[in-house]
Amino acid sequence: MKIKLYLCLLMVTISSITASAQENTADQFLKYLNSYQKEELARMITPDFKFKRKFATKTTDRKEFLYKYLEDSKALRAKFKVIEKPDGKTQNYYVVEDQSQYLKLLDVKFPKWNMTITTVGGKVSEVILAPTEDYDTYVAELNSKGEKFNAWMQERHPKVRLEKLTDLAQVVDYLNEYVQSEGIFLSDLQQYDESAGAPEMVPEIDFADNMTCVHRKQLTEAQRASFYPFNKAKKVVLISFNDKDWELHYRTETPKIIDLSKAASSQQLSKADINRLTDLFYNYGFKKMELVKTMKEKLECSELKNVIVFLDANDKPFEYAAFAFDCDEVEFSSPKVGYGDDCSTKRELVKQFFVSKGIETGK
């Protein structure tokens, strides 16, 4: 009798451990997915892994999931926030809220999905997303808000065909421009906490006070160094040169070829310098996440331009951030490049950084 009781208890213990391990596998999968960790996901999904969306009759295989879906999710800062997580064994059932920068900027309420994660031998073999009861409302709102955005694009950027854009970061750039042109405060939209992926209600705050840069975030040196293009650059160089014909645009459609030999002054940054620069870029920002419509007088730019140039292993420039400080203009070489929040004193802070390294700047 004692032996049977012992074996019975042992089997219950083993079953509990198995269920717990499977639950942890599913939870870990979601954690890696929400932080876009490709290598970790590759190790924990099966060779025949499938990602299915029942509402779109779309099935994504392992390769497309890792090299397309995951990259698109990162570009749109998409995350699945777990709303409900019932107990499961080999299948783990969740209700998740589908959050993304794209939906936030369109002012579309985040939809909820029924998510089923199937695990086999400690690995994830299948993920299925199925509609919940609010699906029809979500589709109707998405279509309505999308039509307004498309009409705005037709008017402002008639040459751009959104359906042909392969870089989703560009779509988000246009959405940001759309929101700003409408004079919309993000506090009037559904909020999105980029660190946790959770909605957050933000009270109205003083406009001028909010626009001033403050040391708001606490990203570590390693985290900041992992951001593109710092993570790909073998060298980062500050330069100044004269070019009266270079009219800066926030996002250039035709990136310039930076010729370092024409620099009036230059300075390669040390590791400590790069740490200071990334702190300035990514830890200084608005007091609250807020997009606003601003009007400023168009000033004439001088010939002097200042550029942060990112060089590859062959000392070839591959990205840049260019400034005309006297007319308060900035240009990034691609949608992948930025400097965090564009708060009102950010460019002045960048200018002072150039000055501290002995680089001539415009007045």
Side-chain angles (χ1 to χ4, degrees):
M1 181 64 70
K2 288 183 178 181
I3 293 176
K4 287 184 179 180
L5 179 61
Y6 172 77
L7 290 174
C8 182
L9 291 173
L10 182 61
M11 291 303 294
V12 170
T13 302
I14 292 172
S15 298
S16 299
I17 292 172
T18 302
S20 174
Q22 289 162 343
E23 182 179 2
N24 287 338
T25 298
D27 289 344
Q28 197 70 42
F29 172 84
L30 277 173
K31 177 183 176 182
Y32 290 149
L33 179 59
N34 283 339
S35 54
Y36 324 115
Q37 294 177 256
K38 184 184 296 182
E39 293 182 5
E40 288 78 0
L41 285 169
R43 286 194 291 267
M44 73 177 309
I45 62 177
T46 61
D48 60 348
F49 171 84
K50 295 291 186 292
F51 188 87
K52 299 178 180 179
R53 277 86 91 197
K54 286 192 172 181
F55 50 87
T57 62
K58 170 70 175 176
T59 298
T60 299
D61 62 16
R62 174 190 170 92
K63 182 178 179 180
E64 186 180 358
F65 174 77
L66 291 173
Y67 295 96
K68 181 66 168 66
Y69 178 87
L70 196 63
E71 291 300 317
D72 288 349
S73 295
K74 186 175 182 180
L76 298 176
R77 283 179 274 182
K79 301 176 188 292
F80 291 113
K81 179 186 178 184
V82 176
I83 307 299
E84 298 176 26
K85 190 183 73 171
D87 293 333
K89 292 187 177 180
T90 57
Q91 289 186 324
N92 295 272
Y93 302 95
Y94 298 81
V95 176
V96 295
E97 187 174 69
D98 191 353
Q99 304 177 336
S100 74
Q101 187 77 347
Y102 177 79
L103 293 176
K104 183 194 74 169
L105 291 171
L106 275 182
D107 193 19
V108 173
K109 184 179 180 181
F110 297 139
K112 294 183 177 65
W113 310 114
N114 293 312
M115 175 182 279
T116 303
I117 301 176
T118 303
T119 60
V120 177
K123 293 195 173 187
V124 176
S125 61
E126 184 179 70
V127 176
I128 299 176
L129 286 183
T132 57
E133 66 279 356
D134 67 349
Y135 176 71
D136 290 339
T137 302
Y138 160 69
V139 171
E141 185 180 17
L142 183 64
N143 288 338
S144 175
K145 299 289 178 64
E147 286 176 6
K148 290 181 180 179
F149 172 60
N150 289 338
W152 178 88
M153 283 292 297
Q154 200 75 40
E155 178 184 350
R156 296 294 186 91
H157 302 283
K159 295 181 180 180
V160 176
R161 293 291 176 263
L162 282 171
E163 68 276 8
K164 293 185 178 181
L165 283 182
T166 57
D167 190 343
L168 288 177
Q170 287 183 308
V171 178
V172 174
D173 282 336
Y174 285 122
L175 276 166
N176 272 290
E177 185 184 337
Y178 166 67
V179 169
Q180 293 182 50
S181 74
E182 296 295 306
I184 300 172
F185 287 86
L186 276 193
S187 56
D188 293 333
L189 304 180
Q190 187 177 43
Q191 295 304 297
Y192 185 68
D193 179 349
E194 295 172 17
S195 62
E200 172 193 3
M201 295 308 296
V202 178
E204 292 294 341
I205 57 180
D206 179 75
F207 164 76
D209 182 52
N210 182 54
M211 287 297 289
T212 302
C213 296
V214 295
H215 198 265
R216 178 172 60 84
K217 299 178 183 178
Q218 295 298 324
L219 296 172
T220 66
E221 179 179 357
Q223 288 173 320
R224 302 192 309 267
S226 70
F227 295 158
Y228 183 87
F230 291 95
N231 62 342
K232 299 296 184 183
K234 298 303 180 184
K235 295 178 183 177
V236 181
V237 178
L238 305 184
I239 69 170
S240 68
F241 65 93
N242 290 291
D243 186 342
K244 64 180 180 179
D245 297 322
W246 186 353
E247 184 178 342
L248 273 61
H249 302 277
Y250 192 80
R251 296 291 185 199
T252 181
E253 294 182 5
T254 54
K256 313 296 186 297
I257 298 174
I258 305 298
D259 186 350
L260 298 181
S261 67
K262 294 183 178 180
S265 57
S266 67
Q267 178 66 53
Q268 182 177 332
L269 299 185
S270 66
K271 184 178 180 181
D273 293 330
I274 292 173
N275 182 38
R276 281 180 56 207
L277 182 61
T278 58
D279 182 60
L280 188 160
F281 271 25
Y282 305 119
N283 280 335
Y284 280 83
F286 302 125
K287 287 187 176 180
K288 295 287 184 180
M289 290 302 294
E290 190 94 0
L291 286 179
V292 294
K293 182 179 181 180
T294 59
M295 299 295 291
K296 67 177 183 179
E297 181 184 358
K298 182 68 174 178
L299 302 174
E300 184 176 348
C301 296
S302 68
E303 294 185 14
L304 185 65
K305 306 295 189 297
N306 293 93
V307 190
I308 302 172
V309 188
F310 299 89
L311 308 180
D312 62 19
N314 298 314
D315 283 346
K316 299 288 186 182
F318 68 96
E319 297 282 17
Y320 66 78
F323 301 86
F325 292 117
D326 57 350
C327 62
D328 195 28
E329 295 292 344
V330 61
E331 177 176 294
F332 300 108
S333 55
S334 80
K336 295 180 180 180
V337 183
Y339 64 179
D341 292 349
D342 193 15
C343 41
S344 61
T345 52
K346 178 66 70 74
R347 292 169 205 175
E348 179 62 28
L349 292 169
V350 176
K351 177 181 177 180
Q352 293 308 316
F353 181 80
F354 272 88
V355 171
S356 73
K357 301 309 296 177
I359 304 297
E360 181 187 3
T361 63
K363 295 181 180 180

